[in-house]
Amino acid sequence: MSETNKAMNDEFPDRLSVDPNSPYYNGDILARDVGIRFKGAEKTNVEEYCISEGWVRVTAGSAKDRYGNPLTIKVHGPVEPYFRDTPKS
């Protein structure tokens, strides 16, 4: 991948979900191993985030809804997505 294409692909959407049924799902971006810092701490259980509104949706333990999907809780605060495959400067 050229540096120009990689720089263009380093832009995060305002909202991103890991659920393939969501309109905010983007497999190309998720394939690059996205990490989320929420309130300065790295979170590994984020299902969806929104940068402009400042929230993440995290799983609530091992609880499932009636369709077998994990139950989630929306938590408000500063959201910082990053790519784990990008070397730190």
Side-chain angles (χ1 to χ4, degrees):
M1 178 184 295
S2 72
E3 288 300 316
T4 307
N5 286 342
K6 190 165 184 164
M8 289 173 51
N9 291 337
D10 281 349
E11 297 296 319
F12 286 97
D14 180 52
R15 194 164 169 180
L16 185 64
S17 175
V18 297
D19 181 9
N21 296 323
S22 171
Y24 303 106
Y25 177 80
N26 186 328
D28 294 336
I29 291 177
L30 293 172
R32 288 196 53 202
D33 196 17
V34 175
I36 302 292
R37 278 188 215 93
F38 180 70
K39 294 184 178 180
E42 183 164 349
K43 296 291 184 185
T44 58
N45 61 344
V46 174
E47 294 288 318
E48 186 175 357
Y49 74 77
C50 182
I51 298 171
S52 65
E53 295 177 15
W55 57 262
V56 295
R57 195 172 289 280
V58 295
T59 56
S62 61
K64 304 278 185 195
D65 67 8
R66 62 183 168 193
Y67 303 108
N69 301 319
L71 287 179
T72 60
I73 299 170
K74 186 189 278 189
V75 186
H76 294 272
V79 179
E80 302 171 45
Y82 64 94
F83 291 114
R84 292 186 180 119
D85 66 356
T86 303
K88 295 181 181 177
S89 345

Coordinates of all heavy atoms in Angstrom, one line a residue:
M1 N 0.8 -1.2 0.0 CA 0.0 0.0 0.0 C 0.9 1.2 0.0 O 1.8 1.3 0.7 CB -0.9 0.0 1.2 CG -1.8 1.2 1.4 SD -2.8 1.2 2.9 CE -3.8 -0.2 2.7
S2 N 0.6 2.2 -0.8 CA 1.4 3.4 -0.9 C 1.2 4.3 0.3 O 0.1 4.2 1.0 CB 1.1 4.2 -2.2 OG -0.2 4.8 -2.1
E3 N 2.1 5.2 0.6 CA 2.0 6.1 1.7 C 0.8 7.0 1.6 O 0.1 7.3 2.5 CB 3.2 6.9 1.9 CG 4.4 6.1 2.4 CD 4.2 5.5 3.8 OE1 3.6 6.2 4.6 OE2 4.5 4.3 3.9
T4 N 0.4 7.4 0.3 CA -0.7 8.3 0.1 C -2.0 7.6 0.5 O -2.9 8.1 1.2 CB -0.8 8.7 -1.4 OG1 0.5 9.3 -1.7 CG2 -1.9 9.8 -1.6
N5 N -2.2 6.3 0.0 CA -3.4 5.5 0.3 C -3.5 5.2 1.8 O -4.5 5.3 2.4 CB -3.4 4.2 -0.5 CG -3.7 4.4 -1.9 OD1 -4.2 5.5 -2.3 ND2 -3.4 3.4 -2.7
K6 N -2.3 4.9 2.4 CA -2.3 4.6 3.9 C -2.7 5.9 4.6 O -3.5 5.8 5.6 CB -1.0 4.1 4.3 CG -1.0 3.6 5.7 CD 0.2 2.8 6.0 CE 0.0 2.2 7.4 NZ 0.9 1.1 7.7
A7 N -2.2 7.1 4.3 CA -2.6 8.3 5.0 C -4.1 8.6 4.8 O -4.7 9.0 5.8 CB -1.8 9.5 4.4
M8 N -4.6 8.3 3.6 CA -6.1 8.6 3.4 C -6.9 7.6 4.2 O -8.0 7.9 4.7 CB -6.4 8.4 1.9 CG -5.9 9.6 1.1 SD -6.1 9.4 -0.7 CE -7.8 9.0 -0.8
N9 N -6.4 6.3 4.4 CA -7.1 5.3 5.1 C -6.9 5.5 6.7 O -7.6 4.7 7.4 CB -6.7 3.9 4.7 CG -7.1 3.6 3.3 OD1 -8.1 4.2 2.8 ND2 -6.4 2.7 2.7
D10 N -6.1 6.4 7.1 CA -5.9 6.6 8.5 C -7.0 7.5 9.1 O -7.0 7.7 10.3 CB -4.5 7.2 8.8 CG -3.4 6.2 8.8 OD1 -3.7 5.0 8.7 OD2 -2.3 6.6 8.8
E11 N -7.9 7.9 8.3 CA -9.1 8.7 8.8 C -10.1 7.8 9.4 O -10.5 6.8 8.7 CB -9.7 9.5 7.7 CG -8.7 10.6 7.1 CD -8.3 11.6 8.2 OE1 -9.2 12.1 8.9 OE2 -7.1 12.0 8.2
F12 N -10.6 8.1 10.6 CA -11.7 7.3 11.2 C -13.0 7.9 10.9 O -13.2 9.1 10.9 CB -11.5 7.2 12.7 CG -10.4 6.3 13.1 CD1 -9.1 6.9 13.4 CD2 -10.6 5.0 13.3 CE1 -8.1 6.1 13.8 CE2 -9.5 4.2 13.7 CZ -8.3 4.7 13.9
P13 N -14.0 7.0 10.7 CA -15.4 7.6 10.6 C -15.8 8.1 11.9 O -15.3 7.7 12.9 CB -16.2 6.4 10.1 CG -15.4 5.2 10.6 CD -14.0 5.6 10.6
D14 N -16.8 9.0 11.9 CA -17.3 9.6 13.2 C -17.9 8.5 14.0 O -17.8 8.5 15.2 CB -18.3 10.7 12.9 CG -18.9 11.3 14.1 OD1 -18.0 11.7 15.0 OD2 -20.1 11.3 14.3
R15 N -18.5 7.5 13.4 CA -19.2 6.4 14.1 C -18.8 5.1 13.5 O -18.8 5.0 12.3 CB -20.7 6.6 14.0 CG -21.5 5.8 15.0 CD -22.8 6.4 15.1 NE -23.7 5.5 15.9 CZ -25.0 5.7 16.1 NH1 -25.5 6.8 15.7 NH2 -25.7 4.8 16.8
L16 N -18.5 4.1 14.3 CA -18.1 2.8 13.8 C -18.6 1.7 14.7 O -18.6 1.9 15.9 CB -16.5 2.7 13.8 CG -15.9 1.5 13.2 CD1 -16.3 1.3 11.7 CD2 -14.4 1.5 13.4
S17 N -19.1 0.6 14.1 CA -19.6 -0.5 14.9 C -19.0 -1.8 14.4 O -18.6 -1.9 13.2 CB -21.2 -0.6 14.6 OG -21.7 -1.8 15.2
V18 N -18.9 -2.8 15.3 CA -18.3 -4.1 15.0 C -19.4 -5.1 14.5 O -19.1 -6.2 14.1 CB -17.5 -4.7 16.1 CG1 -16.3 -3.9 16.5 CG2 -18.4 -4.9 17.3
D19 N -20.7 -4.7 14.6 CA -21.8 -5.5 14.2 C -22.0 -5.4 12.7 O -22.3 -4.4 12.2 CB -23.1 -5.1 15.0 CG -24.3 -5.9 14.6 OD1 -24.1 -6.9 14.0 OD2 -25.4 -5.5 15.1
P20 N -21.9 -6.5 12.0 CA -22.1 -6.5 10.5 C -23.5 -6.1 10.1 O -23.6 -5.6 9.0 CB -21.8 -7.9 10.1 CG -21.1 -8.6 11.2 CD -21.5 -7.8 12.5
N21 N -24.5 -6.2 11.0 CA -25.8 -5.8 10.6 C -26.0 -4.3 10.8 O -27.1 -3.7 10.4 CB -26.8 -6.5 11.4 CG -26.8 -8.0 11.1 OD1 -26.6 -8.4 10.0 ND2 -26.9 -8.8 12.2
S22 N -25.1 -3.6 11.4 CA -25.2 -2.1 11.6 C -24.9 -1.3 10.4 O -24.0 -1.7 9.6 CB -24.3 -1.7 12.8 OG -24.2 -0.3 12.9
P23 N -25.6 -0.2 10.2 CA -25.2 0.7 9.1 C -23.9 1.4 9.3 O -23.3 1.9 8.3 CB -26.4 1.7 9.0 CG -27.0 1.7 10.4 CD -26.8 0.3 10.9
Y24 N -23.3 1.3 10.5 CA -22.0 2.0 10.8 C -20.9 1.0 10.7 O -19.8 1.3 11.1 CB -22.1 2.6 12.1 CG -23.2 3.6 12.2 CD1 -24.3 3.4 12.9 CD2 -23.1 4.8 11.5 CE1 -25.4 4.3 13.0 CE2 -24.1 5.8 11.5 CZ -25.3 5.5 12.3 OH -26.3 6.4 12.3
Y25 N -21.1 -0.2 10.2 CA -20.1 -1.3 10.1 C -19.2 -0.9 8.9 O -19.7 -0.6 7.9 CB -20.7 -2.6 9.9 CG -19.7 -3.8 9.7 CD1 -19.1 -4.3 10.8 CD2 -19.5 -4.3 8.5 CE1 -18.2 -5.4 10.6 CE2 -18.6 -5.3 8.3 CZ -17.9 -5.8 9.3 OH -17.1 -6.9 9.2
N26 N -17.9 -1.1 9.1 CA -16.9 -0.9 8.0 C -15.8 -1.9 8.2 O -14.9 -1.8 8.9 CB -16.3 0.5 8.0 CG -15.5 0.8 6.8 OD1 -14.8 -0.1 6.3 ND2 -15.4 2.1 6.4
G27 N -15.9 -3.0 7.4 CA -15.0 -4.1 7.5 C -13.6 -3.8 7.1 O -12.6 -4.3 7.7
D28 N -13.4 -2.8 6.2 CA -12.0 -2.5 5.8 C -11.3 -1.8 6.9 O -10.1 -2.1 7.1 CB -12.1 -1.5 4.6 CG -12.6 -2.2 3.3 OD1 -12.5 -3.4 3.2 OD2 -13.2 -1.5 2.5
I29 N -11.9 -0.9 7.6 CA -11.3 -0.3 8.7 C -11.0 -1.2 9.9 O -9.9 -1.3 10.5 CB -12.1 1.0 9.2 CG1 -12.0 2.0 8.1 CG2 -11.6 1.5 10.5 CD1 -12.8 3.3 8.4
L30 N -12.0 -2.1 10.2 CA -11.9 -3.0 11.3 C -10.8 -4.0 11.0 O -10.2 -4.6 12.0 CB -13.2 -3.7 11.6 CG -14.3 -2.8 12.1 CD1 -15.6 -3.5 12.2 CD2 -13.9 -2.2 13.5
A31 N -10.5 -4.3 9.8 CA -9.5 -5.3 9.4 C -8.1 -4.8 9.8 O -7.2 -5.6 10.0 CB -9.5 -5.6 7.9
R32 N -7.9 -3.5 10.1 CA -6.6 -2.9 10.4 C -6.4 -2.9 11.9 O -5.5 -2.3 12.4 CB -6.5 -1.5 9.9 CG -6.3 -1.5 8.4 CD -5.9 -0.2 7.9 NE -4.7 0.3 8.6 CZ -4.3 1.6 8.6 NH1 -5.1 2.5 8.0 NH2 -3.2 1.9 9.2
D33 N -7.2 -3.6 12.7 CA -7.1 -3.7 14.2 C -7.2 -2.3 14.9 O -6.2 -1.7 15.2 CB -5.7 -4.4 14.5 CG -5.7 -4.9 15.9 OD1 -6.7 -5.0 16.6 OD2 -4.6 -5.1 16.4
V34 N -8.4 -1.9 15.0 CA -8.7 -0.6 15.6 C -8.7 -0.7 17.1 O -9.2 -1.7 17.7 CB -10.1 -0.1 15.2 CG1 -10.5 1.2 15.9 CG2 -10.1 0.1 13.7
G35 N -8.0 0.2 17.8 CA -8.0 0.3 19.3 C -8.8 1.5 19.7 O -8.9 2.5 19.0
I36 N -9.3 1.5 20.9 CA -10.1 2.6 21.4 C -9.6 3.0 22.8 O -9.4 2.1 23.7 CB -11.6 2.2 21.6 CG1 -12.2 1.8 20.3 CG2 -12.4 3.4 22.2 CD1 -12.4 2.9 19.2
R37 N -9.3 4.2 22.9 CA -8.9 4.8 24.2 C -10.2 5.6 24.7 O -10.6 6.5 24.0 CB -7.7 5.7 24.2 CG -6.4 5.0 24.2 CD -5.2 6.0 24.4 NE -4.1 5.4 23.6 CZ -3.8 5.7 22.4 NH1 -4.6 6.6 21.7 NH2 -2.8 5.1 21.8
F38 N -10.7 5.3 25.8 CA -11.9 5.9 26.4 C -11.5 6.5 27.7 O -11.1 5.7 28.6 CB -13.1 5.0 26.5 CG -14.3 5.6 27.0 CD1 -15.0 6.5 26.2 CD2 -14.8 5.3 28.2 CE1 -16.2 7.1 26.7 CE2 -15.9 5.8 28.7 CZ -16.6 6.7 28.0
K39 N -11.6 7.8 27.9 CA -11.2 8.5 29.1 C -9.7 8.2 29.5 O -9.4 8.0 30.6 CB -12.1 8.2 30.3 CG -13.5 8.7 30.1 CD -14.4 8.4 31.3 CE -15.8 8.9 31.2 NZ -16.6 8.6 32.3
G40 N -8.9 8.0 28.4 CA -7.5 7.8 28.6 C -7.1 6.3 28.8 O -5.9 6.0 28.9
A41 N -8.1 5.4 29.0 CA -7.8 4.0 29.2 C -8.2 3.2 28.0 O -9.2 3.5 27.4 CB -8.5 3.5 30.4
E42 N -7.4 2.2 27.7 CA -7.7 1.4 26.5 C -8.8 0.4 26.9 O -8.8 -0.2 27.9 CB -6.5 0.6 26.1 CG -6.8 -0.3 24.8 CD -5.5 -0.7 24.1 OE1 -4.4 -0.3 24.4 OE2 -5.7 -1.6 23.2
K43 N -9.8 0.3 26.0 CA -11.0 -0.5 26.2 C -10.9 -1.6 25.1 O -10.7 -1.4 23.9 CB -12.3 0.2 26.0 CG -12.5 1.3 27.1 CD -12.7 0.6 28.4 CE -13.0 1.6 29.5 NZ -13.1 1.0 30.8
T44 N -11.2 -2.9 25.5 CA -11.2 -4.0 24.6 C -12.6 -4.5 24.3 O -12.7 -5.4 23.5 CB -10.3 -5.1 25.1 OG1 -10.8 -5.5 26.4 CG2 -8.8 -4.7 25.2
N45 N -13.6 -4.0 25.0 CA -14.9 -4.6 24.9 C -15.9 -3.6 24.2 O -17.1 -3.6 24.4 CB -15.5 -5.0 26.2 CG -15.6 -3.9 27.2 OD1 -15.0 -2.8 27.0 ND2 -16.3 -4.1 28.3
V46 N -15.4 -2.7 23.3 CA -16.2 -1.7 22.7 C -16.9 -2.3 21.5 O -16.3 -2.9 20.6 CB -15.4 -0.5 22.3 CG1 -16.2 0.5 21.5 CG2 -14.8 0.2 23.5
E47 N -18.2 -2.2 21.4 CA -19.0 -2.6 20.3 C -19.2 -1.5 19.2 O -19.4 -1.8 18.1 CB -20.4 -3.1 20.8 CG -20.3 -4.4 21.7 CD -20.0 -5.6 20.9 OE1 -20.5 -5.8 19.8 OE2 -19.1 -6.4 21.4
E48 N -19.3 -0.3 19.7 CA -19.6 0.8 18.8 C -19.1 2.1 19.5 O -19.1 2.2 20.7 CB -21.1 0.9 18.6 CG -21.5 2.0 17.5 CD -23.1 1.9 17.3 OE1 -23.8 1.0 17.8 OE2 -23.5 2.8 16.5
Y49 N -18.7 3.1 18.7 CA -18.3 4.4 19.2 C -18.8 5.5 18.3 O -19.1 5.3 17.2 CB -16.8 4.5 19.4 CG -16.0 4.7 18.1 CD1 -16.0 5.9 17.4 CD2 -15.3 3.6 17.5 CE1 -15.3 6.1 16.3 CE2 -14.6 3.8 16.3 CZ -14.7 5.1 15.7 OH -14.0 5.2 14.5
C50 N -18.9 6.7 18.9 CA -19.2 7.9 18.2 C -18.3 9.0 18.7 O -18.4 9.4 19.9 CB -20.7 8.3 18.3 SG -21.1 9.8 17.4
I51 N -17.4 9.6 17.9 CA -16.5 10.6 18.3 C -17.2 11.9 18.6 O -16.9 12.5 19.6 CB -15.4 10.8 17.2 CG1 -14.6 9.5 17.0 CG2 -14.4 11.9 17.6 CD1 -13.6 9.5 15.9
S52 N -18.0 12.4 17.7 CA -18.6 13.7 17.8 C -19.5 13.8 19.0 O -19.6 14.8 19.7 CB -19.4 14.1 16.5 OG -20.5 13.2 16.3
E53 N -20.3 12.7 19.3 CA -21.2 12.7 20.5 C -20.5 12.3 21.7 O -21.0 12.5 22.8 CB -22.4 11.9 20.2 CG -23.2 12.4 19.0 CD -24.4 11.4 18.7 OE1 -24.7 10.5 19.5 OE2 -25.0 11.6 17.6
G54 N -19.3 11.7 21.6 CA -18.5 11.4 22.8 C -19.0 10.2 23.6 O -19.3 10.3 24.8
W55 N -19.3 9.1 23.0 CA -19.7 7.9 23.7 C -19.2 6.6 23.1 O -18.8 6.6 21.9 CB -21.2 7.8 23.8 CG -22.0 7.8 22.5 CD1 -22.6 8.9 21.9 CD2 -22.3 6.8 21.6 NE1 -23.2 8.6 20.8 CE2 -23.0 7.3 20.5 CE3 -22.0 5.4 21.6 CZ2 -23.5 6.5 19.5 CZ3 -22.4 4.6 20.6 CH2 -23.1 5.1 19.5
V56 N -19.2 5.6 23.9 CA -18.9 4.2 23.4 C -20.0 3.3 23.9 O -20.6 3.6 25.0 CB -17.5 3.7 23.9 CG1 -16.4 4.5 23.3 CG2 -17.4 3.6 25.4
R57 N -20.2 2.2 23.2 CA -21.2 1.2 23.6 C -20.3 0.0 24.0 O -19.7 -0.6 23.1 CB -22.2 0.9 22.5 CG -23.4 0.2 22.9 CD -24.4 0.1 21.8 NE -25.1 1.3 21.6 CZ -26.1 1.8 22.3 NH1 -26.5 1.2 23.4 NH2 -26.7 2.9 21.9
V58 N -20.3 -0.4 25.2 CA -19.5 -1.6 25.7 C -20.4 -2.7 26.1 O -21.6 -2.5 26.5 CB -18.6 -1.1 26.9 CG1 -17.6 -0.1 26.4 CG2 -19.4 -0.6 28.0
T59 N -19.9 -3.9 26.0 CA -20.6 -5.1 26.4 C -20.8 -5.1 28.0 O -19.9 -4.7 28.7 CB -19.9 -6.4 26.0 OG1 -18.6 -6.4 26.5 CG2 -19.9 -6.5 24.5
A60 N -22.0 -5.6 28.4 CA -22.3 -5.7 29.8 C -22.1 -7.1 30.3 O -23.0 -7.9 30.4 CB -23.7 -5.2 30.0
G61 N -20.9 -7.5 30.5 CA -20.5 -8.8 31.0 C -20.8 -9.9 29.9 O -20.6 -9.6 28.8
S62 N -21.4 -11.0 30.4 CA -21.6 -12.1 29.4 C -23.1 -12.2 29.1 O -23.6 -13.1 28.5 CB -21.1 -13.4 30.0 OG -21.8 -13.7 31.2
A63 N -23.9 -11.2 29.5 CA -25.4 -11.2 29.3 C -25.7 -11.1 27.8 O -25.0 -10.4 27.1 CB -26.0 -10.0 30.1
K64 N -26.8 -11.8 27.4 CA -27.2 -11.8 26.0 C -28.7 -11.3 26.0 O -29.4 -11.5 26.9 CB -27.1 -13.2 25.4 CG -25.7 -13.8 25.5 CD -24.9 -13.3 24.4 CE -23.5 -14.1 24.5 NZ -22.5 -13.4 23.7
D65 N -29.0 -10.7 24.8 CA -30.5 -10.4 24.6 C -31.2 -11.6 24.1 O -30.6 -12.7 23.9 CB -30.6 -9.1 23.7 CG -30.2 -9.4 22.3 OD1 -29.9 -10.5 21.9 OD2 -30.2 -8.4 21.6
R66 N -32.5 -11.5 23.8 CA -33.2 -12.6 23.3 C -32.8 -13.2 22.0 O -33.2 -14.2 21.6 CB -34.7 -12.3 23.4 CG -35.1 -11.2 22.4 CD -36.6 -10.9 22.6 NE -36.9 -9.7 21.9 CZ -38.0 -9.1 22.0 NH1 -38.9 -9.5 22.8 NH2 -38.2 -7.9 21.4
Y67 N -32.0 -12.4 21.2 CA -31.6 -12.8 19.9 C -30.1 -13.4 20.0 O -29.6 -13.7 19.0 CB -31.6 -11.6 18.9 CG -33.0 -11.0 18.8 CD1 -33.3 -9.8 19.3 CD2 -34.0 -11.7 18.2 CE1 -34.5 -9.2 19.2 CE2 -35.3 -11.2 18.1 CZ -35.5 -9.9 18.6 OH -36.8 -9.4 18.5
G68 N -29.6 -13.4 21.2 CA -28.2 -13.9 21.3 C -27.1 -12.9 21.2 O -25.9 -13.3 21.2
N69 N -27.5 -11.6 21.0 CA -26.5 -10.6 20.9 C -26.1 -10.1 22.3 O -26.9 -10.1 23.2 CB -27.0 -9.4 20.1 CG -27.5 -9.8 18.7 OD1 -26.8 -10.5 18.1 ND2 -28.6 -9.3 18.3
P70 N -24.8 -9.6 22.5 CA -24.4 -9.2 23.8 C -25.2 -7.9 24.2 O -25.4 -7.0 23.3 CB -22.9 -8.9 23.6 CG -22.7 -8.8 22.2 CD -23.7 -9.6 21.5
L71 N -25.5 -7.8 25.5 CA -26.2 -6.6 26.0 C -25.1 -5.5 26.1 O -23.9 -5.8 26.4 CB -26.8 -6.8 27.3 CG -28.1 -7.6 27.4 CD1 -28.5 -7.8 28.8 CD2 -29.2 -7.0 26.5
T72 N -25.4 -4.3 25.8 CA -24.5 -3.2 25.8 C -25.0 -2.0 26.6 O -26.2 -1.9 26.8 CB -24.2 -2.7 24.3 OG1 -25.4 -2.2 23.7 CG2 -23.5 -3.8 23.5
I73 N -24.0 -1.2 27.1 CA -24.3 0.0 27.8 C -23.6 1.1 27.1 O -22.4 1.0 26.7 CB -23.7 -0.2 29.3 CG1 -24.4 -1.3 30.0 CG2 -23.9 1.1 30.0 CD1 -23.7 -1.7 31.3
K74 N -24.3 2.3 27.0 CA -23.7 3.4 26.4 C -23.1 4.3 27.5 O -23.7 4.6 28.5 CB -24.7 4.3 25.6 CG -24.1 5.4 24.9 CD -25.2 6.4 24.3 CE -25.8 5.9 23.0 NZ -26.6 6.9 22.4
V75 N -21.8 4.6 27.3 CA -21.0 5.4 28.3 C -20.5 6.6 27.7 O -19.9 6.5 26.6 CB -19.9 4.5 28.9 CG1 -19.2 5.3 30.1 CG2 -20.4 3.2 29.4
H76 N -20.6 7.8 28.3 CA -20.2 9.0 27.7 C -18.8 9.5 28.2 O -18.5 9.3 29.4 CB -21.2 10.1 28.0 CG -22.5 9.9 27.4 ND1 -22.8 10.3 26.1 CD2 -23.6 9.2 27.8 CE1 -24.0 9.9 25.8 NE2 -24.6 9.3 26.8
G77 N -18.0 10.0 27.3 CA -16.7 10.5 27.6 C -15.9 10.7 26.4 O -16.4 10.4 25.3
P78 N -14.7 11.2 26.5 CA -13.8 11.4 25.3 C -13.4 10.0 24.7 O -13.0 9.1 25.4 CB -12.6 12.1 25.8 CG -12.6 11.9 27.3 CD -14.0 11.6 27.7
V79 N -13.5 10.0 23.3 CA -13.2 8.7 22.6 C -12.0 9.0 21.6 O -12.0 10.0 20.9 CB -14.4 8.3 21.7 CG1 -14.1 7.1 20.9 CG2 -15.7 8.1 22.6
E80 N -11.0 8.2 21.7 CA -9.8 8.3 20.8 C -9.6 7.0 20.1 O -8.9 6.1 20.7 CB -8.6 8.6 21.7 CG -8.7 9.9 22.5 CD -7.6 10.0 23.4 OE1 -6.4 9.8 23.0 OE2 -7.8 10.3 24.6
P81 N -10.1 6.8 18.9 CA -9.7 5.6 18.1 C -8.3 5.7 17.5 O -7.8 6.8 17.3 CB -10.8 5.5 17.0 CG -11.2 7.0 16.8 CD -11.0 7.6 18.2
Y82 N -7.6 4.6 17.4 CA -6.3 4.5 16.8 C -6.1 3.2 16.1 O -6.8 2.2 16.5 CB -5.2 4.8 17.8 CG -5.1 3.8 18.9 CD1 -4.2 2.7 18.8 CD2 -5.9 3.8 20.0 CE1 -4.1 1.7 19.8 CE2 -5.9 2.9 21.0 CZ -5.0 1.8 20.9 OH -4.9 0.9 21.8
F83 N -5.2 3.1 15.2 CA -4.8 1.8 14.6 C -3.6 1.2 15.3 O -2.6 1.9 15.6 CB -4.4 2.0 13.1 CG -5.6 2.4 12.2 CD1 -5.6 3.6 11.6 CD2 -6.6 1.5 12.0 CE1 -6.7 4.0 10.8 CE2 -7.7 1.8 11.2 CZ -7.7 3.1 10.6
R84 N -3.8 0.0 15.8 CA -2.7 -0.7 16.5 C -1.5 -1.0 15.5 O -0.4 -1.2 16.0 CB -3.2 -1.9 17.1 CG -4.2 -1.7 18.3 CD -4.6 -2.9 19.0 NE -5.5 -2.7 20.1 CZ -6.7 -3.1 20.2 NH1 -7.2 -3.9 19.3 NH2 -7.5 -2.8 21.2
D85 N -1.8 -1.1 14.2 CA -0.7 -1.5 13.3 C 0.1 -0.3 12.9 O 1.1 -0.4 12.2 CB -1.3 -2.1 12.0 CG -2.2 -1.2 11.2 OD1 -2.4 -0.1 11.6 OD2 -2.7 -1.7 10.1
T86 N -0.2 0.9 13.3 CA 0.6 2.1 13.0 C 1.7 2.3 14.0 O 1.4 2.3 15.2 CB -0.3 3.4 13.0 OG1 -1.4 3.2 12.1 CG2 0.5 4.6 12.6
P87 N 3.0 2.4 13.6 CA 4.1 2.5 14.6 C 4.0 3.8 15.3 O 3.6 4.9 14.7 CB 5.3 2.4 13.7 CG 4.9 2.7 12.3 CD 3.4 2.3 12.2
K88 N 4.3 3.8 16.6 CA 4.2 5.0 17.4 C 5.5 5.9 17.1 O 6.6 5.4 16.9 CB 4.2 4.7 18.9 CG 2.9 4.0 19.2 CD 2.8 3.7 20.7 CE 1.5 3.0 21.0 NZ 1.4 2.6 22.3
S89 N 5.3 7.2 17.0 CA 6.4 8.1 16.7 C 7.2 8.4 17.9 O 6.7 8.5 18.9 CB 6.0 9.3 16.0 OG 4.7 9.4 15.5

